[in-house]
Amino acid sequence: MYRMDQVVRDGDPVLRKQAEKVAFPLSDEDQQVSKDMMEYLIISQDEKANEKYGLRPGVGLAAPQVGVSKQYASILIPNADVDGQEDQDEPYYFKGTIYNPVITRQSVKQQALAGGEGCLSVDADQPGFVERSYRITVRYQDETGAEQELKLQGYPADVFQHEIDHLHGTLYYDHINEANPWEEHDRTRYI
């Protein structure tokens, strides 16, 4: 499992690089990195374990955030965080690692998290709305190399866009309007 001191911080050049595509079958290293990233996310969402290990809670962790400049990210979205999913039997809306993800469709309608976004790699608070597409379609490969496609909206779409940005050298605050960080727009849904 990764610890907070192993998460690459803002200012490290790896966070601003275009990550390389992942080859299949996965190397032992890529399998281990994926496993360790997911373990971090699982433990970080458990309040007691989180305190024990001194982790910051997260729902996503991209390979560049642990110093690996390759196109994959582990994502763990609890059902409790997704509207209409709170009472599901399964604890997670999405749990897995996405390899070589591409957003193939995105809505014109925008959204932004009402309180702004955060990132495990960014220690300083960067206040402001991060406008993203409300609906997206993502094509990616799973751990076997098989192609998958997901249609997402709302919070899950936001999480996927945030993590995919990491694979292209973009950080969430790059989307914030510097002149007026909390400016609202009619076309944007605030969630």
Side-chain angles (χ1 to χ4, degrees):
M1 174 190 79
Y2 289 106
R3 303 284 180 119
M4 276 309 301
D5 63 353
Q6 294 171 297
V7 174
V8 174
R9 296 307 205 283
D10 193 7
D12 189 305
V14 73
L15 292 175
R16 292 303 192 168
K17 284 175 60 177
Q18 170 69 37
E20 296 176 18
K21 285 197 174 275
V22 180
F24 285 89
L26 292 175
S27 68
D28 290 344
E29 178 189 7
D30 288 331
Q31 289 179 50
Q32 187 63 51
V33 169
S34 298
K35 179 179 176 272
D36 291 344
M37 289 192 310
M38 184 57 70
E39 189 176 6
Y40 175 99
L41 296 175
I42 291 168
I43 290 172
S44 82
Q45 291 182 18
D46 178 297
E47 201 171 311
K48 286 183 181 166
N50 193 358
E51 265 184 53
K52 176 181 176 184
Y53 294 107
L55 306 180
R56 284 172 38 198
V59 292
L61 192 58
Q65 291 181 273
V66 293
V68 178
S69 190
K70 291 188 179 178
Q71 292 188 23
Y72 59 95
S74 293
I75 297 174
L76 185 68
I77 304 173
N79 270 328
D81 291 353
V82 182
D83 287 342
Q85 299 293 312
E86 301 90 347
D87 298 327
Q88 299 296 316
D89 291 337
E90 293 294 318
Y92 300 109
Y93 179 83
F94 185 89
K95 178 184 179 184
T97 300
I98 58 173
Y99 300 88
N100 303 321
V102 177
I103 297 172
T104 57
R105 290 189 179 153
Q106 53 193 32
S107 65
V108 173
K109 184 177 181 179
Q110 298 285 293
Q111 69 178 1
L113 299 181
E117 289 186 20
C119 179
L120 296 172
S121 291
V122 180
D123 293 327
D125 186 31
Q126 301 287 336
F129 291 128
V130 178
E131 292 195 354
R132 299 186 182 279
S133 295
Y134 175 65
R135 284 191 181 95
I136 60 169
T137 301
V138 180
R139 190 178 67 239
Y140 66 95
Q141 290 171 277
D142 64 20
E143 64 280 351
T144 69
E147 286 215 358
Q148 305 292 333
E149 186 175 85
L150 277 176
K151 293 181 182 200
L152 303 160
Q153 70 178 29
Y155 181 67
D158 197 278
V159 171
F160 272 72
Q161 288 171 88
H162 179 111
E163 296 310 321
I164 291 170
D165 270 357
H166 275 300
L167 309 180
H168 302 289
T170 303
L171 294 173
Y172 77 92
Y173 61 77
D174 296 337
H175 297 285
I176 296 173
N177 176 348
E178 286 182 32
N180 191 351
W182 297 107
E183 181 180 12
E184 293 190 18
H185 298 104
D186 291 340
R187 72 182 190 286
T188 303
R189 179 175 186 245
Y190 298 91
I191 57 174

